[in-house]
Amino acid sequence: MNSKRLSACRPQHRAHSTRLDTQGLAHGFAMKTLDPSSQNTQAFNTEALSLGQAQQLIGQCVEDLLQHRSLRTERIPLEEAFGRTLAEDITSGVDVPAHTNSAMDGFAFRMPPKTNTEPTNMRYKLVGESLAGKPFTKAVAHDECIKIMTGALLPLELDTVAPFESVMIDPLGERTNKLTWGQWIDMDGTRFKAGDNRRLAGEDIPKGARVLLQGQRLHAACMGLMASLGVAQVKVQALLKVAIFSTGDELQRPGESLKPGMIFDSNRYTLKGLLQGLGCEVIDLGIAADEPLALKHMLKEAAKVCDVIITSGGVSDGDADHTKAMMQDMGEVFFWKIAMRPGRPLAFGKIGSSLLFGLPGNPVAVMVTFLSLVRPALLHMMKRQEDPAFDIATLTALCEEPIRKKPGRTEFQRGLTRRNANGQLCVRLSGHQGSGILSSMVQADCLIVLEHERPDIKAQETVTLWPLPRLI
Ligand code: AMP
Ligand code: MG
């Protein structure tokens, strides 16, 4: 990756930056998007970026990075492709269904040509059967029919299927399993028209049709679809390698006995789950102490092998907060304060050619900053097209209670949704909202997003929701 290009998206008012890149200042993006005069300054902290600015800046950095170092692609067996991102369009090499076949269990026959007097009673001699995988291979005359099962090949001479239940079977064979070859089947011609209960070859997917586009996440239906076309190998984006580690002298691993003043490290497990959910390769580096050398070592190791590094903790301005300083020391930090809650301290930068997200330590802040800033960046890097049906910003609900909100920062609250008597989606707060309270993320089914400029929310106002089950 060309570091100069990435530097170009550094914000203009980087108060504590170590090196200033004049190229970056001339960059239209920096000038355009980070002009504090365009903000409502009521509660605007000149050091903090708005969430929108931060998202835009990260997007620009990823775009720059992709110009110079695109993710590799690889061809893998279909069996291993679940959850991966498609790196080619998939075109059908066959008709689906491959052969014209029956949509019902019944009798296949040829509808007589149309005459002025519509046929009423029709008689066909039963001459054999076509089962799924065992087609009837002899010729069928115009006054003959065959027994046919769903999915079984429809002989070329026949065009219509009468379901068993719609046919008066003669007394010899009241039940279909007692049918005998050579018996006559009576049908009421007014009940059928040519083509009934027939699935034409290529009716689902004609040969040559483009069925999947690159950028698609290969979910279960895509897997089945590709298999139905006989696709055995597929070109996908290489896995995005993401290193994670937690920072903090107070952290212990689950399974150890907790010493006084210590807590279990939960962020690494949350992050691992979020990353696995996106289909990233996670490199878990464990816990680093609040000690500059330990952090430096960990960052160095991570940068060697990863596209992205995500840490948690140590990005505030406390005595034990060394993450940001070490990031600056080893690479570049583009910003570290965002006008959002939770999640205000967040360091974004790069070390070598790895993008770096220093997330805050509070467990809820980790999730909120991941969803709002890291996730979009990773999807972008993976060249993933989000499902069009899933535009998180367009889901709205009536807020059932007032919520206090400061203009000048984006606030995220945890919420619970329900439908009211009119079928409208409503949301209320899901309980205690402290940024360390991870249980509330389990109880909530959505995040309520209170946009940057918004003041206090009154009951019955409309709010934006991010549905958590799809995201976590
Ligand atoms: P920090 O940003 O390092 O000051 O951390 C803020 C809060 O988050 C502190 O209460 C930490 O104990 C807590 N915290 C930091 N890292 C983790 C972690 N990996 N798991 C759980 N809690 C954490
Ligand atoms: Mg800490």
Side-chain angles (χ1 to χ4, degrees):
M1 187 189 61
N2 179 328
S3 66
K4 274 231 170 75
R5 288 295 306 270
L6 190 54
S7 303
C9 45
R10 185 186 303 141
Q12 189 184 355
H13 60 283
R14 212 168 51 116
H16 308 289
S17 66
T18 43
R19 278 161 279 157
L20 210 73
D21 176 10
T22 46
Q23 260 202 339
L25 293 179
H27 194 279
F29 172 77
M31 304 301 284
K32 242 191 347 257
T33 58
L34 300 173
D35 174 9
S37 64
S38 67
Q39 301 295 323
N40 172 347
T41 50
Q42 196 177 358
F44 184 74
N45 178 338
T46 49
E47 287 186 2
L49 300 188
S50 74
L51 180 60
Q53 287 172 324
Q55 284 167 329
Q56 208 179 344
L57 192 142
I58 293 172
Q60 188 74 36
C61 287
V62 172
E63 196 53 46
D64 252 345
L65 187 124
L66 289 176
Q67 301 291 320
H68 303 280
R69 203 191 76 168
S70 206
L71 211 56
R72 277 186 312 107
T73 59
E74 57 189 0
R75 192 163 283 282
I76 58 170
L78 180 65
E79 281 77 5
E80 294 165 19
F82 179 74
R84 301 292 293 269
T85 308
L86 199 54
E88 62 181 349
D89 292 348
I90 300 286
T91 303
S92 178
V94 293
D95 277 332
V96 179
H99 310 284
T100 299
N101 67 81
S102 175
M104 300 287 279
D105 291 347
F107 298 104
F109 61 97
R110 176 155 207 89
M111 205 58 190
K114 278 208 173 233
T115 56
N116 286 341
T117 49
E118 285 298 307
T120 48
N121 192 38
M122 308 184 298
R123 297 204 98 196
Y124 291 93
K125 191 165 146 199
L126 186 63
V127 293
E129 65 182 350
S130 178
L131 307 175
K134 285 194 195 134
F136 183 77
T137 48
K138 294 190 202 120
V140 191
H142 67 94
D143 61 346
E144 291 176 344
C145 70
I146 59 165
K147 182 177 153 190
I148 195 162
M149 307 312 275
T150 306
L153 194 139
L154 190 67
L156 273 180
E157 304 88 342
L158 310 183
D159 60 6
T160 308
V161 175
F164 285 137
E165 56 274 20
S166 66
V167 172
M168 298 165 291
I169 297 171
D170 89 358
L172 267 179
E174 285 153 358
R175 294 184 27 198
T176 55
N177 59 4
K178 286 194 188 154
L179 291 167
T180 49
W181 304 150
Q183 81 173 83
W184 289 89
I185 307 283
D186 284 313
M187 296 192 213
D188 176 358
T190 60
R191 299 183 67 164
F192 309 105
K193 59 181 190 315
D196 277 358
N197 303 311
R198 173 183 62 173
R199 296 184 191 137
L200 287 174
E203 141 183 318
D204 180 4
I205 303 164
K207 186 173 172 177
R210 215 153 41 134
V211 291
L212 291 173
L213 301 181
Q214 52 176 299
Q216 169 76 47
R217 174 178 65 91
L218 295 176
H219 54 63
C222 301
M223 295 295 290
L225 179 63
M226 287 190 291
S228 76
L229 305 179
V231 172
Q233 299 269 324
V234 58
K235 190 169 150 195
V236 296
Q237 299 290 347
L239 288 175
L240 192 68
K241 282 192 186 164
V242 184
I244 54 173
F245 64 90
S246 299
T247 71
D249 287 341
E250 75 280 34
L251 302 179
Q252 282 188 237
R253 292 166 189 271
E256 295 173 356
S257 70
L258 206 56
K259 299 189 190 88
M262 304 290 273
I263 60 168
F264 288 121
D265 170 15
S266 63
N267 290 343
R268 228 164 9 106
Y269 298 82
T270 307
L271 282 172
K272 197 167 180 180
L274 288 164
L275 291 164
Q276 283 175 336
L278 289 181
C280 298
E281 181 181 342
V282 183
I283 294 152
D284 183 350
L285 296 174
I287 300 170
D290 283 322
E291 198 261 304
L293 280 182
L295 283 166
K296 203 166 182 170
H297 172 73
M298 205 75 111
L299 287 170
K300 202 168 155 194
E301 285 309 299
K304 270 188 210 157
V305 287
C306 288
D307 302 300
V308 181
I309 304 167
I310 304 176
T311 68
S312 70
V315 282
S316 307
D317 291 322
D319 292 345
D321 296 330
H322 306 295
T323 314
K324 187 179 64 197
M326 281 308 107
M327 288 176 174
Q328 269 172 333
D329 195 39
M330 298 179 65
E332 288 184 89
V333 174
F334 302 132
F335 64 78
W336 60 91
K337 275 184 189 161
I338 303 177
M340 68 186 283
R341 198 176 116 125
R344 183 180 152 82
L346 179 146
F348 170 68
K350 70 178 180 86
I351 292 182
S353 58
S354 309
L355 277 194
L356 193 61
F357 291 91
L359 305 189
N362 273 313
V364 177
V366 164
M367 294 192 79
V368 169
T369 50
F370 182 93
L371 294 177
S372 55
L373 293 156
V374 185
R375 183 178 185 276
L378 298 183
L379 291 175
H380 192 167
M381 289 181 86
M382 293 158 85
K383 301 194 175 166
R384 175 86 60 82
Q385 302 297 323
E386 269 294 64
D387 305 350
F390 180 53
D391 181 0
I392 51 178
T394 56
L395 192 57
T396 56
L398 289 181
C399 192
E400 295 191 286
E401 59 186 299
I403 304 179
R404 291 194 68 80
K405 158 76 171 64
K406 255 194 188 173
R409 69 181 185 199
T410 305
E411 294 187 14
F412 291 84
Q413 305 271 352
R414 282 138 266 170
L416 268 174
T417 55
R418 69 171 189 105
R419 295 262 167 209
N420 67 13
N422 301 326
Q424 287 168 302
L425 193 64
C426 297
V427 66
R428 63 190 160 82
L429 296 175
S430 68
H432 195 26
Q433 298 285 322
S435 66
I437 301 184
L438 202 48
S439 59
S440 65
M441 279 306 271
V442 176
Q443 282 145 19
D445 61 11
C446 65
L447 285 175
I448 306 171
V449 187
L450 306 175
E451 291 85 0
H452 191 85
E453 298 303 346
R454 224 167 156 171
D456 289 344
I457 284 65
K458 298 187 200 75
Q460 298 306 309
E461 275 187 30
T462 300
V463 288
T464 303
L465 303 185
W466 288 0
L468 284 173
R470 276 294 307 261
L471 291 167
I472 61 176

